[in-house]
């Protein structure tokens, strides 16, 4: 299959046959594009039934969340809510990584000063094996512009990859007026991106590069304000897309209106051409907001909210952000070391106030938010150093230091623990069969602790599915080794063996929506053969 996505493959199968007679058809309902008909007569005959199922959402606007989508009816789990093509798709924005101008495949640094160049614009390409896998004409429109300054840019090796996707957006005004108008309707938050902002000079460099090298002629004349607006639209609305092994940026007109929530009720997948599919990850009630996530689920509340404020210009007030303990996970909790090392839990008194003091749950101690930030900066250095050249000893030492300052479930501990469980059982001298009973038990405990937290912060497995599947896979391996060591106790051994099978099956199920060529897709195919162990 082109993509390993059960939900979408079932949708595509249904979507290729007339909803009335079942024969092959291609005429779509113009409103929802989710059903097809073989004739206008069948579409008219089906309307009485379909009108209640057509578009399952409606756009609303309010002063707090702005434009957002709510469910017009009950939306069932796995139901496709939105499917649409991108207005624009191009190299990741922003990026300084060299890429092939034709297929967007990442080039090695040694290949960015290359013999292989586009024969017209002289930008680097993969070579004779270059394949435009997303769109056969993906480079055509900008090539006509890039050819203007080709010799000078190639001579100086002056390729600014940050400018490519903004240029693709800019050229829509000449190549597709409808897409251009829809793009310009999207939020840009220019009120936060003026000359006094950090981002202003970064975008100015993009404008100056395009203006000085490519857009000086009358045919492609543009303004600084327009480039700033386009980059604002990209920053606010663009999604990172992984298709066919490529890391891209794309803007989807309807999906861009989805509201953020740190516990979203939808999942997202892409086909090999970059079309997006938004599906319900659980039952969504009539009138409920349809949500996605704009930030990293593995960051603590302060980090998530700071990222959203600096990049999307709003503060998240969701259920997870509003809870001082992050729903009982203690994912951001600091250890209190006052009063003879109290060891209580420090959490913010007012979680939605970025400057709130933090209070201990065992003693009267309070700590300022500035002090919390200072502690985290120091601990980040410990984690970064341990992960530079990870070993079991260095990671265990880092974890031990972290636990004197933060809860063992803290997000900083998570990176360390996730690496540790992959070293225990696989690194030299620590294969599963070589682990002591105590180390095997430790791996089991680390896996279970992390899985407990992930079931709370990503209960629908829509954002951390790869991360979670690795934990389940490693837990299943540790259980199989444990079962083998107590084979004489048949009942307990069988229980571990059965649990291992359930966990592996769950890991495979979590990965089933991964598109072809993605890291999750590769992981799925690496794990699949292991299920034969239980046959």
């Amino acid at each position: 299959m082109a993509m390993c996505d059960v939900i979408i493959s079932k949708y595509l199968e249904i979507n290729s046959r007339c909803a009335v007679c079942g024969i092959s058809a291609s005429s779509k309902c113009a409103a929802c594009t989710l059903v097809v008909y073989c004739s206008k007569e069948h579409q008219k005959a089906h309307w009485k039934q379909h009108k209640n199922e057509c578009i399952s959402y409606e756009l609303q606007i309010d002063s707090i969340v702005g434009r957002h989508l709510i469910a017009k009816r009950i939306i069932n789990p796995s139901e496709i809510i939105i499917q649409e093509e991108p207005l624009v798709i191009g190299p990741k924005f922003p990026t300084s990584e060299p890429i092939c101008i034709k297929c967007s495949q990442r080039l090695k640094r040694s290949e960015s000063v290359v013999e292989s160049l586009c024969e017209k614009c002289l930008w680097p390409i993969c070579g004779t094996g270059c394949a435009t896998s997303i769109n056969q004409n993906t480079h055509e429109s900008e090539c006509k512009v890039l050819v203007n300054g080709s010799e000078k840019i190639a001579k100086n090796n002056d390729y600014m990859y940050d400018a490519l996707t903004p240029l693709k957006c800019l050229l829509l005004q000449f190549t597709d007026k409808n897409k251009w108008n829809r793009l310009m309707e999207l939020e840009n938050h220019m009120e936060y991106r003026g000359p006094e902002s950090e981002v202003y000079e970064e975008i100015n460099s993009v404008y100056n590069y395009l203006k000085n090298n490519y857009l000086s002629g009358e045919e492609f004349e543009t303004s600084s304000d327009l480039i700033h607006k386009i980059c604002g639209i990209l920053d606010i609305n663009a999604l990172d897309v992984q298709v066919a092994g490529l890391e891209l940026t794309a803007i989807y007109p309807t999906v861009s209106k989805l509201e953020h929530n740190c516990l979203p009720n939808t999942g997202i997948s892409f086909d090999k051409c970059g079309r997006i599919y938004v599906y319900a990850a659980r039952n969504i009630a009539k009138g409920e907001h349809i949500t996605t996530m704009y930030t990293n689920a593995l960051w603590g509340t302060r980090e998530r909210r700071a990222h959203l404020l600096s990049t999307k210009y709003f503060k998240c007030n969701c259920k997870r952000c509003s809870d001082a303990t992050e729903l009982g996970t203690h994912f951001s909790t600091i250890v209190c070391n006052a009063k003879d090392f109290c060891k209580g839990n420090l959490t913010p008194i007012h979680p939605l106030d970025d400057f709130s003091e933090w209070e201990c749950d065992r003693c009267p101690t309070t700590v300022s938010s500035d002090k919390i930030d200072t502690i985290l900066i120091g601990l980040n250095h410990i984690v970064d150093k341990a992960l530079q050249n990870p070993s079991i000893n260095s990671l265990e030492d880092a974890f031990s230091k972290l636990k004197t300052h933060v809860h063992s479930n803290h997000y900083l501990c998570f990176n360390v623990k996730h690496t540790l469980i992959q070293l225990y059982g696989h690194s030299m001298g620590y294969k599963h069969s070589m682990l002591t009973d105590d180390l095997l038990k430790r791996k089991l405990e680390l896996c279970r602790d992390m899985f407990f937290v992930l079931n709370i912060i990503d209960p629908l497995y829509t954002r951390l599915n790869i991360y979670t599947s690795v934990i389940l896979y490693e837990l299943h391996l540790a259980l199989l080794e444990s079962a083998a060591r107590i084979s004489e106790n048949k009942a307990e051994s069988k229980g571990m063996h059965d649990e291992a099978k359930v966990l592996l099956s769950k890991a495979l199920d979590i990965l089933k929506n991964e598109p072809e060529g993605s890291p999750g897709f590769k992981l799925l195919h690496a794990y699949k053969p292991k299920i034969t162990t239980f046959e």
Side-chain angles (χ1 to χ4, degrees), residues 229-472:
K229 183 176 181 179
I230 286 172
C231 290
I233 289 170
L234 279 167
D235 281 340
I236 304 304
N237 300 279
L239 296 180
D240 290 338
V241 179
Q242 285 194 345
V243 293
L246 305 176
E247 293 184 359
L248 305 169
T249 283
I251 291 182
Y252 300 89
T254 307
V255 176
S256 67
K257 297 177 178 67
L258 287 175
E259 179 184 346
H260 164 83
N261 193 296
C262 293
L263 295 168
N265 54 23
T266 64
I268 289 174
S269 192
F270 304 90
D271 68 16
K272 66 180 181 180
C273 296
R275 176 179 284 270
I276 194 170
Y277 299 82
V278 179
Y279 60 90
R282 59 166 173 78
N283 185 284
I284 300 176
K286 180 180 180 180
E288 184 178 350
H289 290 217
I290 302 172
T291 59
T292 187
M293 191 172 192
Y294 297 162
T295 188
N296 193 329
L298 283 175
W299 291 345
T301 294
R302 285 179 72 75
E303 290 67 33
R304 294 193 314 279
R305 298 185 83 239
H307 172 253
L308 291 169
L309 184 59
S310 66
T311 61
K312 307 298 183 183
Y313 308 104
F314 72 87
K315 293 183 177 182
C316 181
N317 300 324
C318 74
K319 182 180 178 182
R320 180 180 170 189
C321 289
S322 301
D323 190 296
T325 66
E326 297 207 38
L327 307 177
T329 64
H330 292 286
F331 207 59
S332 296
T333 297
I334 306 294
V335 171
C336 178
N337 285 315
K339 307 274 185 187
D340 299 321
F341 300 100
C342 159
K343 299 303 177 186
N345 294 317
L346 286 169
T347 54
I349 299 172
H350 305 292
L352 299 180
D353 178 359
D354 297 333
F355 303 101
S356 169
E357 290 195 325
W358 291 45
E359 63 180 355
C360 179
D361 61 359
R362 289 188 183 177
C363 74
T365 298
T366 58
V367 177
S368 71
S369 58
D370 287 342
K371 177 65 174 176
I372 296 297
D373 288 338
T374 301
I375 292 171
L376 292 175
I377 290 171
L379 296 180
N380 264 300
H381 291 316
I382 293 175
V383 174
D384 290 343
K385 184 178 179 181
L387 293 176
Q388 280 177 0
N389 188 22
S391 68
I392 286 176
N393 288 336
S394 66
L395 290 170
E396 286 287 13
D397 181 58
F399 188 37
S400 183
K401 290 176 181 176
L402 288 173
K403 287 194 298 181
T404 64
H405 298 283
V406 297
H407 195 282
S408 61
N409 285 346
H410 194 276
Y411 68 88
L412 287 175
C413 294
F414 246 63
N415 280 337
V416 173
K417 291 195 287 186
H418 200 257
T419 307
L420 261 178
I421 64 166
Q422 295 173 80
L423 292 179
Y424 279 129
H426 302 285
S427 59
M428 188 71 68
Y430 289 92
K431 303 296 184 183
H432 283 108
S433 60
M434 301 169 67
L435 294 177
T436 65
D437 288 346
D438 284 344
L439 288 181
L440 188 59
K441 182 181 178 182
R442 173 151 180 74
K443 176 167 180 171
L444 287 166
E445 289 175 347
L446 289 172
C447 289
R448 292 192 191 282
D449 287 347
M450 285 189 287
F451 188 48
F452 163 77
V453 173
L454 291 173
N455 268 320
I456 295 173
I457 65 174
D458 186 32
L460 305 174
Y461 311 119
T462 59
R463 291 299 180 274
L464 302 174
N465 49 342
I466 295 177
Y467 204 89
T468 303
S469 65
V470 170
I471 293 171
L472 291 175

Side-chain angles (χ1 to χ4, degrees), residues 92-132:
K92 202 167 183 180
F93 176 83
T95 184
S96 58
E97 290 293 326
I99 54 100
C100 170
I101 192 72
K102 289 188 175 181
C103 72
S104 297
Q105 194 77 251
R106 183 178 294 181
L107 298 175
K108 295 178 182 177
R109 284 289 176 180
S110 59
E111 294 174 343
S112 58
V113 183
V114 285
E115 301 84 18
S116 298
L117 301 172
C118 172
E119 62 277 9
K120 295 179 181 178
C121 69
L122 303 184
W123 274 63
I125 61 173
C126 294
T128 54
C130 177
T132 52

Side-chain angles (χ1 to χ4, degrees), residues 22-35:
I23 69 169
S24 181
S26 59
S27 180
K28 296 181 180 180
C29 168
C32 68
T33 72
L34 296 177
V35 295

Side-chain angles (χ1 to χ4, degrees), residues 167-184:
L167 177 59
K168 284 178 178 287
C169 293
L170 181 68
L171 294 178
L172 285 178
Q173 62 185 309
F174 307 111
T175 61
D176 194 320
K177 279 287 186 182
N178 179 48
K179 284 186 175 181
W180 171 254
N181 291 335
R182 297 177 78 186
L183 183 73
M184 289 296 100

Side-chain angles (χ1 to χ4, degrees), residues 13-131:
E13 182 180 350
I14 295 170
N15 196 244
S16 64
R17 297 186 177 278
C18 176
V20 176
C21 66
I23 69 169
S24 181
S26 59
S27 180
K28 296 181 180 180
C29 168
C32 68
T33 72
L34 296 177
V35 295
V36 297
Y37 302 97
C38 65
S39 65
K40 290 183 178 179
E41 289 74 19
H42 278 186
Q43 182 173 8
K44 187 175 180 180
H46 191 241
W47 177 242
K48 187 174 181 180
Q49 174 186 339
H50 180 58
K51 66 180 180 180
N52 295 321
E53 303 168 348
C54 193
I55 298 177
S56 59
Y57 60 86
E58 64 182 6
L59 176 68
Q60 290 196 355
I61 303 175
D62 69 33
S63 58
I64 299 175
V65 298
R67 291 179 292 184
H68 60 282
L69 305 181
I70 66 164
K72 290 171 59 178
R73 56 171 173 80
I74 294 173
I75 304 176
N76 297 314
S78 299
E79 184 178 339
I80 299 289
I81 302 171
I82 303 166
Q83 60 96 7
E84 61 183 350
E85 294 179 354
L87 292 177
V88 65
I89 188 165
K92 202 167 183 180
F93 176 83
T95 184
S96 58
E97 290 293 326
I99 54 100
C100 170
I101 192 72
K102 289 188 175 181
C103 72
S104 297
Q105 194 77 251
R106 183 178 294 181
L107 298 175
K108 295 178 182 177
R109 284 289 176 180
S110 59
E111 294 174 343
S112 58
V113 183
V114 285
E115 301 84 18
S116 298
L117 301 172
C118 172
E119 62 277 9
K120 295 179 181 178
C121 69
L122 303 184
W123 274 63
I125 61 173
C126 294
T128 54
C130 177

